[in-house]
Amino acid sequence: MIGKYPARPTAGPKRGGSVFFITMVLFLAVNANAGDLFTDITAEAGLVDPGNERGIAWGDYDNDGDLDLLLSNFGTTMRLFRNNQPTGHHWLDVRLESPGGNTRAVGALVQVFAGDHTWVRENNPGTGYQSQTPHQIHFGLGTETKVDSLVVRWPTGEISRFGQQEADRILLLRGP
């Protein structure tokens, strides 16, 4: 989970005012059963950025199955944090197409079933201030090497069911 720390005041450049810097923070869910929901792993992940962050987008920039981060800063250049982990975990990215005005099926709900796991994601590329993620829905599958089935609830309310799919690829699904 990515969050933003509360703004930290810094001496402003004009008339003694304050400029508020917003810092990106990366949280990891740990030990949820014991009540410890998240821990800050920003430094451990190498994501400490002294900039004044304004927007963040995530997606698989290099199509290697893990999510990369693009961070926009106020008054300076954007930074790309590439995720190059040799975890051996599997993934599936789903790209939706739909006829009519909503061609990218924004608002569709996708359920993925693999083994005894179920994942649910909404196709919502508008994720934050000055940011947009790709029109591609990422599912981290862990050790699952295939998906047993997928169900898509399209923005029209119609439901499509898709059978078994191989992992580690981008899957294009076309709606009714």
Side-chain angles (χ1 to χ4, degrees), residues 102-132:
N102 187 2
T103 58
R104 298 222 173 140
V106 173
L109 195 69
V110 179
Q111 292 177 287
V112 170
F113 303 92
D116 60 351
H117 299 95
T118 302
W119 296 270
V120 180
R121 304 271 190 281
E122 180 182 6
N123 187 17
N124 180 13
T127 56
Y129 178 69
Q130 294 185 347
S131 303
Q132 180 173 338

Side-chain angles (χ1 to χ4, degrees), residues 2-10 13 18-25 49-58 70-79 81 127-132:
I2 299 168
K4 292 195 175 184
Y5 263 143
R8 64 180 195 271
T10 303
S18 292
V19 174
F20 287 89
F21 281 66
I22 300 172
T23 304
M24 178 182 63
V25 181
D49 183 41
N52 188 359
E53 288 89 12
R54 287 296 187 245
I56 189 166
W58 54 90
L70 182 64
L71 182 65
S72 67
N73 287 302
F74 180 75
T76 186
T77 59
M78 292 189 290
R79 293 195 51 200
F81 294 93
T127 56
Y129 178 69
Q130 294 185 347
S131 303
Q132 180 173 338

Side-chain angles (χ1 to χ4, degrees), residues 34-118:
D36 299 330
L37 296 180
F38 297 99
T39 187
D40 181 353
I41 62 163
T42 310
E44 181 182 334
L47 295 175
V48 174
D49 183 41
N52 188 359
E53 288 89 12
R54 287 296 187 245
I56 189 166
W58 54 90
D60 191 358
Y61 167 79
D62 48 6
N63 290 322
D64 64 353
D66 50 34
L67 295 178
D68 308 296
L69 301 174
L70 182 64
L71 182 65
S72 67
N73 287 302
F74 180 75
T76 186
T77 59
M78 292 189 290
R79 293 195 51 200
L80 175 65
F81 294 93
R82 290 186 59 194
N83 184 358
N84 293 318
Q85 296 185 52
T87 62
H89 290 162
H90 300 282
W91 56 278
L92 181 70
D93 280 1
V94 177
R95 186 174 292 166
L96 302 175
E97 286 185 1
S98 158
N102 187 2
T103 58
R104 298 222 173 140
V106 173
L109 195 69
V110 179
Q111 292 177 287
V112 170
F113 303 92
D116 60 351
H117 299 95
T118 302

